[in-house]
Amino acid sequence: MIVADLSPGDLQARLRTGLYLRTGPFVSCITSSEPLLAEGIALHYAEHAVETEFADFHVRIARPRNLRRWYRPQVRFYFDDAPSFHPLPADQAFPMLEWGLNWCVTNQAHRYLIIHAAVLQRQGKSLILPAPPGSGKSTLCAGLAHSGWRLLSDELALIDPDTGRVVPVPRPVSLKNRSIEILKAFAPQAVFNPTVSDTIKGDVAHMRAPPDALLRAEESAAPGWIVMPHFEAGAAPQLVEITRARGMMALIENAFNFDLHGRRGFDTLGDFVDQCRCYRYSYGSLADAIDGCNRLADAA
Amino acid sequence: MSLAEAWRISSNLELACRDWDEDEVVVFSQRLGHSLLLSAASARVLDLLATAAPQTLTQAELVERLLPLCAEGTPTGDIQSLLDVTLPEFYRIGLAEPWINSN
């Protein structure tokens, strides 16, 4: 069964007792009575499997039991029934779920080496985009996902130490501020939920993962390219090959749990980078950025 | 640091290294728990200290061992300058330590 098989009423009923939602290798048991959350899940997770038992993460989005239940209502994220973040306005329930699920993966899924990076795939190889917030990573990721690249994740590169391959976690792509309109203009076919304003990250909208990403959600990807993106308005595109050593350091510096993996993590990343070419990429427009990534894939 | 001073690698670093025949190398220490990007030249210094352990090496001995690994005609002054920068940096980050014979 997938989420789209559930009527809106059935989905809300499941959410009240716990919806077992599969996203890539993980199952999250999500409990909530928030209507906006149900709408967001129906829109973004329509093609995702609904499981019946066993969850990696048990999360709940609920209104705190205080006066704010009635006055400018807020929601709170609970992990294993423990409140985990500051409350946010109730209209931010869906972004909160997304941020919370990212938090669950980065704090719990330590069988993988977890890198803060977008991942896409073409020509059988993965393109890793490790970068800090504000570098344009998610914008480029969303654009590539609508330009013939398969989306594996916009936020978390999961490297399996057993196989040395990247495991997909295709979920909605989080876009902020000007990126929202840029993507809507670039990919009119892309599906977005209504923009949520005044979040801690500014205006936020989520773009649904393209169908290909969901159809191939169990297909891991081989190492290919590590590209450190840097958006600078108006800049001419500049794709510079860097040493593999710098590529490896970029992965290490953007890893959430490298220290937990120790020597095995070092060897896993070293073997991964062995099979990659590494670049630093400055660009001033989304079209330029996509063109540069396409040239990498075409030359492979 | 004087040429008479000897250096040794810190104990139990459990070093691992990734080298792709480039100008830079990534070194990992299980004990320190972090990775470092080193120039290939600095990585050679670290490798000499690791190979010599538990013995110490003076700066003069390091210069002598590095010279054949450098491009022909490299002035010894350049190698000494490298050591003057690299060894204190290794000490600062816990990779190596000076050893002074008090006898």
Side-chain angles (χ1 to χ4, degrees):
Chain A
M1 180 193 291
I2 60 173
V3 171
D5 294 332
L6 300 171
S7 69
D10 288 342
L11 177 58
Q12 285 184 3
R14 290 242 181 185
L15 278 167
R16 276 195 289 275
T17 55
L19 172 74
Y20 286 73
L21 182 70
R22 176 167 287 283
T23 52
F26 308 114
V27 175
S28 303
C29 176
I30 302 165
T31 307
S32 182
S33 298
E34 291 299 316
L36 283 176
L37 192 84
E39 286 174 24
I41 289 174
L43 178 71
H44 287 292
Y45 290 100
E47 308 302 323
H48 287 246
V50 176
E51 307 286 352
T52 53
E53 54 187 344
F54 299 120
D56 298 279
F57 317 123
H58 288 263
V59 304
R60 182 162 58 92
I61 303 273
R63 300 193 180 198
R65 293 190 174 280
N66 58 27
L67 286 174
R68 297 299 290 266
R69 286 170 71 81
W70 294 282
Y71 173 71
R72 292 185 182 171
Q74 293 182 320
V75 287
R76 191 146 201 189
F77 183 88
Y78 296 81
F79 176 77
D80 280 348
D81 268 335
S84 300
F85 302 111
H86 289 299
L88 293 176
D91 68 345
Q92 297 180 24
F94 186 75
M96 181 178 240
L97 173 70
E98 289 300 308
W99 298 331
L101 290 179
N102 286 341
W103 179 86
C104 289
V105 174
T106 56
N107 283 278
Q108 302 291 322
H110 297 310
R111 63 165 289 205
Y112 301 106
L113 260 164
I114 307 169
I115 317 288
H116 185 207
V119 195
L120 300 110
Q121 186 227 3
R122 221 181 107 183
Q123 311 280 46
K125 292 181 175 179
S126 60
L127 166 69
I128 314 274
L129 303 168
S135 55
K137 163 177 66 71
S138 290
T139 315
L140 176 55
C141 171
L144 288 168
H146 282 286
S147 304
W149 291 75
R150 173 169 70 110
L151 171 73
L152 279 82
S153 174
D154 84 314
E155 194 73 18
L156 303 170
L158 304 183
I159 299 178
D160 184 345
D162 291 338
T163 63
R165 295 172 66 88
V166 189
V167 174
V169 206
R171 288 187 20 222
V173 178
S174 173
L175 293 165
K176 297 182 282 291
N177 303 316
R178 282 197 62 230
S179 298
I180 300 166
E181 294 312 315
I182 290 172
L183 251 297
K184 284 181 176 175
F186 178 80
Q189 74 278 20
V191 178
F192 288 84
N193 60 346
T195 300
V196 181
S197 299
D198 299 326
T199 77
I200 49 172
K201 301 183 181 191
D203 293 349
V204 170
H206 283 84
M207 186 193 85
R208 185 171 162 172
D212 183 45
L214 303 172
L215 285 171
R216 298 168 65 190
E218 293 181 11
E219 191 182 314
S220 64
W225 307 275
I226 298 166
V227 176
M228 283 173 270
H230 176 69
F231 172 76
E232 194 180 326
Q238 204 175 11
L239 184 66
V240 179
E241 184 153 15
I242 58 172
T243 63
R244 285 190 167 92
R246 282 187 187 256
M248 182 169 179
M249 287 303 292
L251 296 186
I252 291 170
E253 286 162 3
N254 284 283
F256 286 105
N257 60 352
F258 178 74
D259 50 341
L260 293 179
H261 285 263
R263 174 63 191 267
R264 189 174 187 225
F266 182 81
D267 291 340
T268 299
L269 288 186
D271 293 347
F272 190 88
V273 174
D274 272 346
Q275 302 168 67
C276 289
R277 293 184 72 174
C278 307
Y279 300 87
R280 187 169 35 240
Y281 193 14
S282 301
Y283 52 85
S285 77
L286 180 60
D288 282 347
I290 290 171
D291 182 52
C293 294
N294 286 341
R295 278 188 279 117
L296 285 181
D298 292 342
Chain B
M1 300 288 168
S2 76
L3 284 175
E5 192 170 68
W7 288 82
R8 66 183 171 196
I9 198 154
S10 302
S11 54
N12 303 319
L13 284 178
E14 297 181 59
L15 290 172
C17 178
R18 281 284 168 162
D19 181 356
W20 288 276
D21 247 348
E22 301 169 324
D23 293 338
E24 295 169 318
V25 170
V26 184
V27 172
F28 171 73
S29 163
Q30 180 78 48
R31 182 171 71 79
L32 298 178
H34 59 238
S35 303
L36 300 157
L37 182 68
L38 297 183
S39 69
S42 296
R44 280 195 205 105
V45 176
L46 187 65
D47 183 50
L48 286 174
L49 291 171
T51 306
Q55 302 300 314
T56 60
L57 291 175
T58 63
Q59 282 209 29
E61 288 169 326
L62 281 166
V63 169
E64 188 183 311
R65 293 180 194 202
L66 284 167
L67 205 50
L69 304 173
C70 297
E72 201 174 311
T74 302
T76 45
D78 286 3
I79 301 174
Q80 280 165 358
S81 299
L82 167 76
L83 293 173
D84 286 344
V85 173
T86 302
L87 292 169
E89 184 63 10
F90 281 176
Y91 177 54
R92 189 184 68 79
I93 57 184
L95 288 176
E97 53 200 17
W99 184 84
I100 299 164
N101 188 348
S102 56
N103 294 326

